[in-house]
Amino acid sequence: MSHAPGPEEEAERKMRFLYTLRSKGVTDARVLSAMEKVDRGAFVKGLFAERAYEDMPLPIACGQTISQPSVVGLMTLALEVSARDKVLEVGTGSGYQAAILSHLARRIYTVDRHRRLVREADALFRALNLTNITAIAADGSHGLPDQAPFDRIIVTAAAEDPPGPLLAQLRIGGIMVLPVGQSDTVQSLIKVRRTAEGYEYEELRPVRFVPLVEGLGQD
Ligand code: SAH
C-alpha cells in the first residue's frame, strides 16, 4: 500500500501528466481540460494503481487494458468532438475514455462485451456524477442500431477492417476513429469521415490495441 499523496504531490503529478500529453501532441485546450478533469487513478485498480499517471497502457479486469493516456488524447483530438455530439464508444474497458468524452459531448453510449467491465464502469460514472454516459453490455461490432445514427464513433479495440454496421451508423458529416489491423501486430489508427458521397479514410499513426472480439464475453 502506498501513502496517500498530499495536495502538493497531487498537483505536481497532474502537471507532469499534462506536460507529457502536450509533448506527445495532445495540444488542444478543450481536450487537455477534459483530461485534466478525469483522474485516471480512479479507473486503474489494484497492483497497477500506482502507475496510473504514467503514459503507458495498464491491465484492467477481464484480461483487457486501459489505453495509454497520450493515445486516448490523440484519439479524442482526432474525433473532433463538439458539445452537441452524440457519441458511440465501442470498448468501454475501464470507462476512462468515455469519462473524458462525457466532458466534451452531449451524450455518450459506450458498449463492452464484458458485463463486469460495464458494471464497474457504470458504478464509476455514477460516483463521478457523469450523467450523460449510458454503458451497455453488447457486441459493439454491430453498433447500437437503436441509438443510431451517431455524430462520432470511437472504437478502442482493433478490427481487421472497419465494421460495416459502424460505418452505416455514422451520420453524414460524422467522424469515426478506430485502430485497424491484426491483433498481434502493429495496427494503424484510422480516421473515417462520412460525406454525402461516401467515406474518406486517413491513416494517423501506428498503435497497438486488444482485438475486437465478436459475441458477449463470459463475465
Ligand atoms: N476504452 C477503454 C479501453 C478499452 S480496451 C478504456 O478507456 O479503458 C478494449 C475493450 O474492448 C475491452 O474492454 C474489450 O472487452 C472490448 N471489446 C472487444 N471486442 C468488443 C466488442 N465486439 N464489443 C464491445 N466491446 C469489445
Side-chain angles (χ1 to χ4, degrees), residues 64 90 113-114 138-141 157-159 183 210-217:
Q64 304 303 315
V90 176
R113 58 187 293 276
H114 287 290
D139 178 352
S141 54
S183 61
V210 297
L212 190 75
V213 177
E214 286 195 20
L216 275 175

Side-chain angles (χ1 to χ4, degrees), residues 64-67 89-97 111-114 117 138-141 156-157 210-214:
Q64 304 303 315
T65 53
I66 178 172
S67 313
E89 180 193 29
V90 176
T92 311
S94 68
Y96 179 62
Q97 172 78 72
V111 304
D112 203 289
R113 58 187 293 276
H114 287 290
L117 293 175
D139 178 352
S141 54
T156 61
V210 297
L212 190 75
V213 177
E214 286 195 20

Side-chain angles (χ1 to χ4, degrees), residues 28-107:
D28 182 81
R30 280 184 74 234
V31 171
L32 282 170
S33 145
M35 292 188 76
E36 187 175 356
K37 287 186 189 121
V38 180
D39 178 9
R40 190 168 183 251
F43 295 83
V44 182
K45 296 181 193 83
L47 226 53
F48 293 93
E50 281 182 35
R51 315 195 76 168
Y53 305 98
E54 293 175 31
D55 192 29
M56 50 165 59
L58 293 171
I60 56 171
C62 305
Q64 304 303 315
T65 53
I66 178 172
S67 313
Q68 188 177 349
S70 58
V71 172
V72 170
L74 291 169
M75 287 177 81
T76 308
L77 199 62
L79 207 57
E80 299 179 32
V81 195
S82 89
R84 295 181 306 277
D85 287 344
K86 180 167 78 174
V87 183
L88 171 65
E89 180 193 29
V90 176
T92 311
S94 68
Y96 179 62
Q97 172 78 72
I100 290 163
L101 290 170
S102 83
H103 291 289
L104 295 165
R106 176 172 57 86
R107 188 107 202 85

Side-chain angles (χ1 to χ4, degrees), residues 15-26 53 55 70:
M15 251 176 50
R16 243 186 292 126
F17 184 75
L18 292 170
Y19 176 82
T20 304
L21 290 175
R22 265 191 226 101
S23 73
K24 300 218 172 155
V26 186
Y53 305 98
D55 192 29
S70 58

